[in-house]
Amino acid sequence: MAIDPIQIAEQESASAVGAFDQAFTAARTAARAGEVPVGAVVVRNGAVLAVAHNRPRALHDPTAHAEILAIRAACAAIGDERLTGCDLYVTLEPCPMCAGAISFARIRRLYYGAADPKGGGVEHGPRVFNQSTCHHAPEVYGGFREAEAAELLRAFFAERRD
């Protein structure tokens, strides 16, 4: 379900817009490091708890997706394995692994930029939050700065093909 970022900013304050700014900055940092440009930010009560970008190559860890790293850092910041009342802002629809982590962390709301018809696990692919085995499903809002997120990914992969 796509929502205009201005609507969410009015509902949740300007922190939503700022969170996406930080997520896109993190995604660009990932691209400069040769990582797939995805950035994620965890916010609670308008305060940023964690910002991360994809780092599987740098960390030699296939699970080092932006969402996983942001969730880990936010959990460490608050001293709890559950992120109740927290929102996650990410530039790309999370994959099934990240969707599972979002569920286990009890993220309240997920906001993402570009859809991922090939590798997504939220509104594409296995649709993790729609499964009867899913213990917690956050509210999900997609399509934020979608064109910007998609172009960042297109440019990254086009550069690698040249």
Coordinates of all heavy atoms in Angstrom, one line a residue, residues 42-98:
V42 N 16.0 2.7 12.3 CA 15.0 2.3 13.3 C 14.8 3.5 14.2 O 15.7 4.2 14.7 CB 15.5 1.1 14.2 CG1 14.5 0.9 15.3 CG2 15.8 -0.1 13.4
V43 N 13.5 3.9 14.3 CA 13.0 5.1 15.1 C 12.1 4.7 16.2 O 11.2 3.8 15.9 CB 12.4 6.1 14.1 CG1 11.8 7.3 14.9 CG2 13.4 6.5 13.0
R44 N 12.2 5.3 17.3 CA 11.2 5.1 18.4 C 10.9 6.5 19.0 O 11.8 7.2 19.4 CB 11.7 4.2 19.5 CG 10.7 4.1 20.7 CD 11.3 3.4 21.9 NE 11.1 2.0 21.8 CZ 11.6 1.2 22.7 NH1 12.3 1.6 23.7 NH2 11.3 -0.1 22.7
N45 N 9.6 6.8 19.0 CA 9.2 8.1 19.6 C 9.9 9.3 18.9 O 10.3 10.2 19.6 CB 9.3 8.1 21.1 CG 8.5 7.1 21.8 OD1 7.4 6.7 21.3 ND2 9.0 6.5 22.8
G46 N 10.1 9.2 17.7 CA 10.8 10.3 16.9 C 12.3 10.3 17.1 O 13.0 11.1 16.4
A47 N 12.9 9.4 17.9 CA 14.3 9.4 18.0 C 14.9 8.2 17.2 O 14.4 7.1 17.3 CB 14.7 9.2 19.5
V48 N 16.0 8.5 16.5 CA 16.7 7.5 15.8 C 17.5 6.6 16.7 O 18.3 7.1 17.5 CB 17.6 8.1 14.7 CG1 18.4 7.1 14.0 CG2 16.7 8.9 13.6
L49 N 17.2 5.3 16.7 CA 18.0 4.4 17.5 C 19.2 3.8 16.8 O 20.2 3.5 17.3 CB 17.1 3.2 18.0 CG 15.9 3.6 18.9 CD1 15.1 2.4 19.3 CD2 16.4 4.3 20.2
A50 N 19.0 3.6 15.4 CA 20.1 3.0 14.6 C 19.9 3.3 13.2 O 18.8 3.4 12.7 CB 20.0 1.4 14.8
V51 N 21.1 3.4 12.5 CA 21.1 3.6 11.1 C 22.1 2.6 10.5 O 23.2 2.4 11.1 CB 21.6 5.0 10.7 CG1 21.7 5.2 9.2 CG2 20.7 6.1 11.3
A52 N 21.8 1.9 9.5 CA 22.7 0.9 8.9 C 22.5 0.8 7.4 O 21.5 1.2 6.8 CB 22.5 -0.5 9.5
H53 N 23.5 0.2 6.8 CA 23.5 0.0 5.3 C 24.0 -1.5 5.1 O 24.6 -2.1 6.0 CB 24.3 1.0 4.5 CG 25.7 1.0 4.8 ND1 26.6 0.1 4.3 CD2 26.5 1.8 5.6 CE1 27.8 0.4 4.7 NE2 27.8 1.4 5.5
N54 N 23.7 -2.0 3.9 CA 24.1 -3.3 3.6 C 25.6 -3.4 3.7 O 26.4 -2.5 3.3 CB 23.8 -3.6 2.1 CG 22.4 -4.2 2.0 OD1 21.6 -4.3 2.9 ND2 22.0 -4.6 0.7
R55 N 26.1 -4.6 4.3 CA 27.5 -4.8 4.5 C 27.9 -6.3 4.4 O 28.9 -6.7 5.0 CB 27.9 -4.3 5.9 CG 27.8 -2.8 6.0 CD 28.3 -2.2 7.3 NE 29.7 -2.4 7.4 CZ 30.4 -2.5 8.5 NH1 29.7 -2.4 9.7 NH2 31.7 -2.7 8.6
P56 N 27.2 -7.1 3.6 CA 27.6 -8.5 3.5 C 29.0 -8.7 3.0 O 29.7 -9.6 3.5 CB 26.5 -9.1 2.5 CG 25.4 -8.1 2.4 CD 26.0 -6.8 2.8
R57 N 29.4 -7.9 2.0 CA 30.8 -8.1 1.5 C 31.8 -7.7 2.5 O 32.8 -8.4 2.7 CB 30.9 -7.3 0.2 CG 30.1 -7.9 -1.0 CD 30.2 -7.0 -2.2 NE 29.9 -7.8 -3.3 CZ 30.6 -7.9 -4.4 NH1 31.7 -7.2 -4.6 NH2 30.3 -8.7 -5.4
A58 N 31.6 -6.6 3.1 CA 32.6 -6.0 4.0 C 32.7 -6.9 5.3 O 33.8 -7.1 5.8 CB 32.2 -4.6 4.5
L59 N 31.6 -7.5 5.7 CA 31.6 -8.3 6.9 C 31.8 -9.8 6.6 O 31.8 -10.6 7.6 CB 30.4 -8.0 7.7 CG 30.2 -6.6 8.3 CD1 28.9 -6.5 9.0 CD2 31.4 -6.2 9.1
H60 N 31.8 -10.2 5.3 CA 31.8 -11.6 4.9 C 30.7 -12.3 5.6 O 30.9 -13.4 6.2 CB 33.2 -12.2 5.3 CG 34.3 -11.4 4.7 ND1 34.6 -11.3 3.4 CD2 35.3 -10.7 5.3 CE1 35.7 -10.6 3.2 NE2 36.1 -10.1 4.4
D61 N 29.5 -11.7 5.6 CA 28.3 -12.2 6.3 C 27.1 -12.1 5.4 O 26.6 -10.9 5.2 CB 28.2 -11.5 7.6 CG 27.0 -11.9 8.4 OD1 26.2 -12.8 7.9 OD2 26.8 -11.3 9.5
P62 N 26.5 -13.1 4.9 CA 25.4 -13.0 4.0 C 24.1 -12.5 4.7 O 23.2 -12.1 4.1 CB 25.1 -14.4 3.5 CG 25.8 -15.3 4.5 CD 26.9 -14.5 5.1
T63 N 24.1 -12.4 6.0 CA 23.0 -11.9 6.8 C 23.2 -10.4 7.1 O 22.3 -9.8 7.7 CB 22.8 -12.7 8.1 OG1 23.8 -12.4 9.0 CG2 22.7 -14.2 7.9
A64 N 24.2 -9.8 6.7 CA 24.5 -8.4 7.0 C 23.7 -7.4 6.2 O 24.3 -6.5 5.6 CB 26.0 -8.1 7.0
H65 N 22.4 -7.6 6.0 CA 21.6 -6.7 5.3 C 21.3 -5.5 6.2 O 21.4 -5.6 7.4 CB 20.2 -7.4 5.0 CG 20.3 -8.4 4.0 ND1 19.2 -9.0 3.3 CD2 21.4 -9.1 3.4 CE1 19.6 -9.9 2.4 NE2 20.9 -10.0 2.5
A66 N 21.0 -4.4 5.6 CA 20.8 -3.1 6.3 C 19.8 -3.3 7.4 O 20.0 -2.8 8.6 CB 20.3 -2.0 5.4
E67 N 18.7 -4.0 7.1 CA 17.6 -4.2 8.2 C 18.1 -4.9 9.4 O 17.8 -4.6 10.5 CB 16.4 -4.9 7.6 CG 15.8 -4.2 6.4 CD 16.3 -4.7 5.0 OE1 17.5 -5.0 4.9 OE2 15.5 -4.8 4.1
I68 N 18.8 -6.0 9.1 CA 19.3 -6.9 10.2 C 20.3 -6.1 11.1 O 20.2 -6.1 12.3 CB 20.0 -8.1 9.6 CG1 19.1 -9.0 8.8 CG2 20.7 -8.9 10.7 CD1 18.0 -9.7 9.6
L69 N 21.2 -5.4 10.4 CA 22.2 -4.6 11.2 C 21.5 -3.5 12.0 O 21.9 -3.2 13.1 CB 23.3 -4.0 10.2 CG 24.1 -5.1 9.5 CD1 25.0 -4.4 8.5 CD2 24.9 -5.9 10.5
A70 N 20.5 -2.8 11.4 CA 19.8 -1.7 12.1 C 19.0 -2.3 13.3 O 19.0 -1.7 14.4 CB 18.9 -1.0 11.2
I71 N 18.4 -3.5 13.1 CA 17.7 -4.1 14.2 C 18.6 -4.5 15.3 O 18.4 -4.3 16.5 CB 16.9 -5.3 13.7 CG1 15.7 -4.9 12.9 CG2 16.5 -6.3 14.8 CD1 15.0 -5.9 12.1
R72 N 19.8 -5.1 15.0 CA 20.7 -5.5 16.0 C 21.2 -4.3 16.8 O 21.3 -4.3 18.0 CB 21.9 -6.2 15.3 CG 21.7 -7.6 14.8 CD 22.9 -8.1 14.1 NE 22.6 -9.5 13.6 CZ 23.3 -10.0 12.7 NH1 24.4 -9.4 12.2 NH2 23.0 -11.2 12.2
A73 N 21.6 -3.2 16.1 CA 22.1 -2.0 16.7 C 21.0 -1.4 17.6 O 21.3 -0.9 18.7 CB 22.6 -1.0 15.7
A74 N 19.7 -1.3 17.1 CA 18.7 -0.8 17.9 C 18.4 -1.6 19.2 O 18.2 -1.1 20.3 CB 17.4 -0.6 17.1
C75 N 18.4 -2.9 19.0 CA 18.2 -3.8 20.2 C 19.3 -3.6 21.2 O 19.1 -3.5 22.4 CB 18.2 -5.3 19.8 SG 16.7 -5.8 18.9
A76 N 20.6 -3.4 20.8 CA 21.7 -3.2 21.7 C 21.5 -1.8 22.3 O 21.8 -1.7 23.5 CB 23.0 -3.2 20.9
A77 N 21.0 -0.8 21.6 CA 20.9 0.5 22.1 C 19.8 0.6 23.3 O 20.0 1.3 24.2 CB 20.4 1.5 21.0
I78 N 18.8 -0.2 23.2 CA 17.7 -0.2 24.2 C 17.9 -1.4 25.2 O 17.1 -1.4 26.2 CB 16.3 -0.1 23.6 CG1 16.0 -1.4 22.8 CG2 16.2 1.1 22.8 CD1 14.5 -1.5 22.5
G79 N 18.8 -2.3 24.9 CA 19.0 -3.4 25.8 C 17.8 -4.4 25.8 O 17.5 -4.9 26.9
D80 N 17.2 -4.6 24.7 CA 16.1 -5.6 24.6 C 16.1 -6.2 23.2 O 16.5 -5.6 22.2 CB 14.8 -4.8 24.8 CG 13.6 -5.6 25.2 OD1 13.6 -6.9 24.9 OD2 12.6 -5.1 25.6
E81 N 15.6 -7.5 23.2 CA 15.5 -8.1 21.9 C 14.3 -7.8 21.1 O 14.1 -8.1 19.9 CB 15.6 -9.7 22.0 CG 14.4 -10.4 22.5 CD 14.1 -10.3 24.0 OE1 14.8 -9.6 24.7 OE2 13.2 -11.0 24.4
R82 N 13.4 -7.1 21.7 CA 12.1 -6.6 21.1 C 12.1 -5.1 20.9 O 12.5 -4.4 21.8 CB 10.9 -7.0 22.0 CG 10.8 -8.5 22.2 CD 9.6 -9.1 21.5 NE 9.6 -10.6 21.5 CZ 8.8 -11.3 22.2 NH1 7.9 -10.8 23.0 NH2 8.9 -12.6 22.1
L83 N 11.7 -4.7 19.7 CA 11.7 -3.3 19.4 C 10.2 -2.8 19.4 O 9.8 -2.1 18.4 CB 12.4 -3.1 18.1 CG 13.9 -3.4 18.1 CD1 14.5 -3.3 16.7 CD2 14.6 -2.5 19.0
T84 N 9.5 -3.1 20.4 CA 8.1 -2.8 20.5 C 8.0 -1.2 20.4 O 8.7 -0.5 21.1 CB 7.5 -3.3 21.8 OG1 7.8 -4.7 21.9 CG2 6.0 -3.0 21.9
G85 N 7.1 -0.7 19.6 CA 6.9 0.7 19.5 C 7.8 1.3 18.5 O 7.8 2.6 18.4
C86 N 8.7 0.6 17.9 CA 9.7 1.1 16.9 C 9.2 0.9 15.5 O 8.5 0.0 15.2 CB 11.0 0.4 17.1 SG 11.8 0.7 18.7
D87 N 9.7 1.9 14.7 CA 9.4 1.8 13.2 C 10.7 1.6 12.5 O 11.7 2.1 12.9 CB 8.7 3.1 12.8 CG 7.4 3.4 13.5 OD1 6.7 2.4 13.9 OD2 7.0 4.6 13.7
L88 N 10.6 0.9 11.4 CA 11.7 0.7 10.5 C 11.5 1.3 9.2 O 10.4 1.1 8.5 CB 12.0 -0.8 10.3 CG 13.1 -1.2 9.4 CD1 14.4 -0.8 10.0 CD2 13.1 -2.8 9.2
Y89 N 12.5 2.1 8.7 CA 12.4 2.8 7.4 C 13.5 2.2 6.6 O 14.7 2.2 7.0 CB 12.7 4.3 7.6 CG 11.6 5.0 8.4 CD1 11.7 4.9 9.8 CD2 10.5 5.6 7.8 CE1 10.7 5.5 10.6 CE2 9.6 6.2 8.6 CZ 9.6 6.2 10.0 OH 8.7 6.8 10.7
V90 N 13.2 1.7 5.4 CA 14.2 1.0 4.6 C 14.0 1.4 3.1 O 12.8 1.6 2.7 CB 14.2 -0.5 4.8 CG1 12.9 -1.2 4.5 CG2 15.4 -1.2 4.1
T91 N 15.0 1.5 2.4 CA 14.9 2.0 1.0 C 14.4 0.9 0.0 O 14.0 1.3 -1.1 CB 16.3 2.5 0.5 OG1 17.3 1.5 0.6 CG2 16.7 3.7 1.3
L92 N 14.4 -0.3 0.4 CA 14.0 -1.4 -0.5 C 13.1 -2.4 0.3 O 13.4 -2.6 1.5 CB 15.2 -2.2 -1.0 CG 14.9 -3.4 -2.0 CD1 14.3 -2.9 -3.3 CD2 16.2 -4.1 -2.3
E93 N 12.1 -2.9 -0.3 CA 11.3 -4.0 0.3 C 12.2 -5.1 0.9 O 13.0 -5.6 0.2 CB 10.3 -4.6 -0.7 CG 9.5 -5.7 -0.2 CD 8.6 -6.4 -1.3 OE1 8.6 -5.9 -2.4 OE2 8.0 -7.4 -0.9
P94 N 12.0 -5.4 2.2 CA 12.8 -6.4 2.8 C 12.6 -7.8 2.2 O 11.6 -8.2 1.7 CB 12.3 -6.4 4.3 CG 11.8 -5.0 4.5 CD 11.1 -4.7 3.1
C95 N 13.7 -8.5 2.2 CA 13.7 -9.9 1.7 C 13.1 -10.8 2.8 O 12.8 -10.3 3.9 CB 15.2 -10.4 1.5 SG 16.1 -10.7 3.0
P96 N 12.8 -12.1 2.5 CA 12.2 -12.9 3.5 C 13.0 -13.0 4.8 O 12.4 -13.1 5.9 CB 12.1 -14.3 2.8 CG 12.1 -13.9 1.3 CD 13.0 -12.7 1.2
M97 N 14.3 -13.1 4.7 CA 15.1 -13.2 6.0 C 14.9 -12.0 6.8 O 14.6 -12.1 8.0 CB 16.6 -13.3 5.6 CG 17.5 -13.2 6.8 SD 19.3 -13.2 6.4 CE 19.4 -11.6 5.7
C98 N 14.9 -10.8 6.2 CA 14.7 -9.5 7.0 C 13.3 -9.4 7.5 O 13.1 -8.9 8.6 CB 15.1 -8.3 6.1 SG 16.9 -8.3 5.8

